[in-house]
């Protein structure tokens, strides 16, 4: 499936491009590229991938981000949403994660909490493979499947 | 006289065995359809297919369903049910097991439920009929000193009853002291 990545960023961001020039008005596609190349971004960073039909596949939000290299952006205070073909949302929360714009992988070594349906999954270290529609947790995995009906939040664990 | 006494002990043991095989234990029959205690599953590593809601767990898998009931194995695959439209207002019945539909545990499987202990190579825990089917090893069920093996052991969690297929092979794991008493 041919995919296009669109990156949306909200107000007040320090947007110093890799060439040191301040960003000027650009098309959304150019903006996405420039923002990913930027050294540091602040305030409501948001990365979204949509397919050609306009359906959102995933979204990563954070409070700030910084480039690690040409391909990788590290996002802090991450709240990621994966959207299934049925429209269900899988929510992920972690302290920081690296998004690779070339492979579309999201990787972290931090503790991760994930809400999927009526269960909370947690572990340390994660990799999301969007192409395969799966993710890995590398250590200390726990799944808590709740029996009560209703929407879950992380507070359900506490 | 000694022979009669020994025969009596064996008869008593067999009756005891028959009871734990066939008769549901008191509280189980009246158990509620739901249990507010969540199902907890631990493992070393996880691969999760979020499109199909399947969790592949590797290393030291432990499933805690309710107090006293623990299934452990080397690896396991857990099939979660799809979220239904009715989920936010779901009835107690369809959230009875945290939406887990099936657990397939493989390698060094060990089930502990109260006084029962069952070991096998593989276990398939189906929440639809609330049964665990244990195979491979062959599976052996233990309670106190009694050991019963079969090609296939089915644990009915609702009735808290074990079924042995095609037939149970009963053994007794005896301590040296008990052996000595029998041989006297």
């Amino acid at each position: 499936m041919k995919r296009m990545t669109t990156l949306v960023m909200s107000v007040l961001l320090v947007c110093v491009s890799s060439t040191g020039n301040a960003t000027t008005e650009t098309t959304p596609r150019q903006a996405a590229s420039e923002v990913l190349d930027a050294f540091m971004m602040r305030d409501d960073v948001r990365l979204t991938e949509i397919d050609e039909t306009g359906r959102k596949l995933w979204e990563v939000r954070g409070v700030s981000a910084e480039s690690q290299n040409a391909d990788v952006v590290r996002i802090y205070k991450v709240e990621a949403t994966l959207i299934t073909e049925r429209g269900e949302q899988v929510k992920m929360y972690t302290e920081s994660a690296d998004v690779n714009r070339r492979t579309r992988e999201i990787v972290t070594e931090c503790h991760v909490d994930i809400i999927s349906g009526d269960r909370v999954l947690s572990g340390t270290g994660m990799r999301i493979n969007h192409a395969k529609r799966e993710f890995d947790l590398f250590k200390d995995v726990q799944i808590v499947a709740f029996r009560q009906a209703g929407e879950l939040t992380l507070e359900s664990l506490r | 006289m000694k022979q009669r006494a020994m025969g009596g002990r064996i008869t008593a043991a067999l009756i005891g065995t028959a009871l734990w095989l066939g008769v549901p234990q008191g509280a189980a029959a009246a158990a509620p359809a739901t249990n507010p205690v969540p199902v907890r599953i631990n493992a070393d590593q996880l691969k999760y297919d979020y499109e199909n809601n399947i969790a592949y767990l590797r290393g030291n898998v432990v499933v805690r369903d309710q107090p006293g009931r623990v299934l452990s194995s080397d690896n396991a695959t857990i099939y979660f049910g799809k979220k239904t439209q009715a989920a936010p207002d779901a009835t107690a019945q369809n959230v009875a097991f945290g939406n887990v539909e099936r657990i397939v545990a493989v390698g060094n499987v060990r089930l502990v439920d109260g006084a029962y202990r069952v070991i096998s190579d593989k276990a398939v825990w189906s929440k639809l009929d609330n049964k665990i089917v244990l195979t491979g090893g062959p599976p052996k069920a233990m309670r106190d000193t009694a050991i019963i093996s079969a090609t296939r052991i089915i644990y009915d969690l609702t009735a808290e009853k074990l079924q042995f297929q095609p037939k149970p092979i009963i053994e007794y794991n005896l301590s040296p002291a008990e052996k000595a008493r029998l041989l006297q």
Side-chain angles (χ1 to χ4, degrees):
Chain A
M1 187 189 296
K2 192 179 177 184
R3 285 178 183 166
M4 176 179 70
T5 301
T6 302
L7 186 138
V8 182
M9 298 194 68
S10 67
V11 286
L12 191 66
L13 44 103
V14 179
C15 199
V16 183
S17 74
S18 55
T19 57
N21 299 325
T23 52
T24 54
E25 278 201 19
T26 54
T27 63
R29 209 180 168 94
Q30 284 172 321
S33 170
E34 286 178 15
V35 168
L36 280 168
D37 285 342
F39 177 70
M40 179 166 271
M41 294 154 265
R42 286 204 172 88
D43 288 351
D44 195 18
V45 182
R46 191 191 302 182
L47 284 161
T48 305
E49 185 176 3
I50 57 169
D51 66 14
E52 57 188 1
T53 66
R55 189 171 71 88
K56 192 191 283 185
L57 298 172
W58 56 268
E59 180 179 82
V60 179
R61 300 179 82 161
V63 297
S64 63
E66 61 182 342
S67 286
Q68 300 298 297
N69 57 47
D71 290 329
V72 177
V73 179
R74 179 163 295 168
I75 299 179
Y76 295 93
K77 304 278 182 196
V78 175
E79 182 183 324
T81 307
L82 311 176
I83 298 139
T84 68
E85 286 178 1
R86 296 181 302 280
E88 294 166 13
Q89 294 190 349
V90 178
K91 296 263 190 190
M92 301 181 162
Y93 305 87
T94 189
E95 196 56 35
S96 73
D98 291 350
V99 181
N100 188 312
R101 67 172 177 166
R102 191 170 47 79
T103 64
R104 304 288 201 270
E105 277 191 345
I106 301 173
V107 180
T108 182
E109 292 179 357
C110 301
H111 176 85
V112 185
D113 288 314
I114 300 159
I115 296 177
S116 172
D118 54 6
R119 67 210 75 105
V120 177
L121 302 90
S122 58
T124 305
M126 177 188 69
R127 180 177 56 224
I128 303 173
N129 186 329
H130 297 293
K132 290 185 176 175
R133 315 293 285 161
E134 66 188 24
F135 59 80
D136 293 270
L137 292 175
F138 300 127
K139 261 195 335 187
D140 306 328
V141 174
Q142 178 169 266
I143 302 174
V144 180
F146 289 86
R147 301 170 205 254
Q148 289 94 341
E151 294 298 320
L152 279 186
T153 66
L154 283 182
E155 289 304 310
S156 308
L157 272 180
R158 300 178 181 119
Chain B
M1 195 64 182
K2 270 184 188 174
Q3 275 180 337
R4 191 175 290 174
M6 192 171 72
R9 275 202 291 273
I10 291 172
T11 308
L14 285 171
I15 290 169
T17 303
L19 282 173
W20 70 268
L21 291 177
V23 181
Q25 292 181 334
T34 59
N35 185 332
V37 179
V39 182
R40 285 185 188 273
I41 302 159
N42 292 86
D44 291 344
Q45 295 183 325
L46 164 78
K47 185 181 285 295
Y48 190 82
D49 175 347
Y50 61 86
E51 203 62 68
N52 298 300
N53 288 328
I54 302 171
Y56 304 94
L57 295 154
R58 288 202 322 183
N60 298 308
V61 180
V62 180
V63 180
R64 292 177 180 85
D65 173 28
Q66 62 184 44
R69 181 179 295 160
V70 180
L71 175 73
S72 56
S73 64
D74 291 342
N75 302 306
T77 304
I78 301 180
Y79 299 84
F80 292 97
K82 305 271 192 300
K83 193 177 180 181
T84 61
Q85 290 297 319
D89 308 313
T91 59
Q93 248 180 343
N94 59 17
V95 292
F97 191 60
N99 213 12
V100 174
E101 284 185 351
R102 194 157 48 104
I103 298 174
V104 180
V106 180
N108 290 312
V109 174
R110 179 182 165 93
L111 171 70
V112 177
D113 192 7
Y116 299 148
R117 287 171 182 214
V118 188
I119 54 169
S120 67
D121 285 346
K122 183 179 176 184
V124 179
W125 186 340
S126 168
K127 294 310 296 182
L128 298 177
D129 54 7
N130 210 23
K131 286 179 180 172
I132 304 175
V133 177
L134 300 115
T135 52
K140 292 183 177 67
M142 286 173 259
R143 187 181 167 186
D144 302 327
T145 56
I147 302 173
I148 300 179
S149 65
T151 305
R152 180 176 151 110
I153 297 177
I154 301 171
Y155 185 25
D156 184 333
L157 296 160
T158 308
E160 291 197 1
K161 192 166 76 172
L162 290 169
Q163 296 169 9
F164 297 83
Q165 294 177 347
K167 60 177 182 182
I169 299 164
I170 303 174
E171 304 170 38
Y172 288 96
N173 183 17
L174 303 169
S175 68
E178 285 170 318
K179 247 184 210 168
R181 279 211 314 272
L182 276 173
L183 293 172
Q184 265 181 351

